[in-house]
Amino acid sequence: MKIENIRPGDIEAESFRIIGELLGDRKLDPRYEHIIKRCIHTSADFDYADSLYFSEGAEERIARGIREGAVIVTDTKMAQAGINKTRIGKYGGQVLCYIGDSDVAEEAKSRGLTRSYVSMEKASRLGRPVIFAIGNAPTALMAICDLAEAGQLDPVAVIGVPVGFVNVEASKERLIRSGIPCIVARGRKGGSNIAACIVNAIQYSL
Amino acid sequence: MKIENIRPGDIEAESFRIIGELLGDRKLDPRYEHIIKRCIHTSADFDYADSLYFSEGAEERIARGIREGAVIVTDTKMAQAGINKTRIGKYGGQVLCYIGDSDVAEEAKSRGLTRSYVSMEKASRLGRPVIFAIGNAPTALMAICDLAEAGQLDPVAVIGVPVGFVNVEASKERLIRSGIPCIVARGRKGGSNIAACIVNAIQYSL
C-alpha cells in the first residue's frame, strides 16, 4: 500500500470518485445521491447506500430551512462540533445543543428521564423553526415524537440517525410512522458523525 | 419493534449486554475487550471486533498517560468534543485541537499541506507528553510519523483511526510499522467518534 501524493484540495473529490467506483452499477436516487455518498465518505460504510430513508420533501425542507436561518438542534456536542457553521451562520442560523446544560441535567434527574429527552423539550420552547439532527439518543427521537403528538412541536424536519442497541431501531421506525418530515438511517447504525454529515451534505448543495 | 421501558442509567449496561450476546462465541482479547466493545457500541459495527490493532503496551501507556496528566491532541473538533473531559481534567490533562487555528490555516496554505498535517507539527512543539487521537486525517498520521522519524516527536501513544478512501489504509499501516505505540483500526473504517470512544474506553477503565 503506497501513500499517494495528492494535493490537499483534491482529497475529497478523489474520495467521492473512489466511492462512485466502488458503488459500481449500483444506482442511487439522484435527489439524495450527495447525502448518501457523504455518509459513505464519513463512515467508509456502504450500508448507507441501503439504509437511508427520506420522507418525501424532507431534504427540500431542510435546505429551505437552512437558507431561511432555521436553528439546528443536536443531541450531542459531537454532532454540534461536526456541523460546518460558516454557511449556516451566513444564512442567520445557529447550531445549538442543550445536553450539557445544568438545568437539563437537574430536570432529567428529578423526572427520571434522559438528558437527551429533556434537552429536546427545551428546544421545543425556542419559538423558532428547528431542524433536529439526532445521532445518538433514541430518547431524543421519542421526545420529538411525544412533543409533536402533543401539539407542542412542529419541526422543520428531523435527521434521525441514532446508533446503538437499545430502542434505536424502534425509535427510528416511530419517527418514520409519525409523519414528521425526516431523514432516517434505518437499523442500528448511525451516529453523531452521520447526523452532522447529513446537515453538511445538504448545506454544501445550496 | 416495541420501545422498551428502561431506566436512563441502565441503557449503557443493557447495550453492552446485547453486544456480548451478538458476539456469541467470539472471544475477544480480555486486555482490550472494553475498548473493542465500546467501539461496537459507538458504531453498531461489528467489524471492530476484527479490525482493531493494539501494539504491545500501547493501552497501558495511554492509561498511564491519562493518569499522569498527558495532553490529548485530536485532529478534529468532533473528536475533541466526544472525549469526556471530567476525568481527564481531574488528572491534570487537557484535550486540545489546533485544526481551527488561524496560524495553522495560513501555514498550511502557504506550504501546500493539509491543516491536519500542520496542526500535528504545532502539537509537536507543546513540550509535554502527548497522546494523539486521530479519527479523520491520514495526513495527521503521516505528520506524526514524519516528526517521529526526524526525532522531533516522541508520543506517549497514537490512536490512529482515520476513516476514508485516500491514503487512509496506507497511513495506518505506516503508523503500525513505525514502532510508535499505537491503537489502529485497520482498513478504511474509523472516525472521530471511534477516536473519542477509544480514549473514553481507556479512561473509564481507570
Side-chain angles (χ1 to χ4, degrees), chain B residues 109-123:
Chain B
K109 200 171 172 187
S110 74
R111 291 169 60 201
L113 297 167
T114 64
R115 290 185 298 146
S116 307
Y117 193 102
V118 176
S119 73
M120 295 300 119
E121 292 181 329
K122 186 165 178 176

Side-chain angles (χ1 to χ4, degrees), chain A residues 138 142 167 169-172 174 177, chain B residues 1-6:
Chain A
M142 293 185 220
N167 288 334
E169 294 179 82
S171 70
K172 292 194 249 194
R174 181 178 169 200
R177 282 194 312 272
Chain B
M1 233 167 317
K2 226 176 96 280
I3 287 177
E4 290 174 69
N5 207 341
I6 182 161

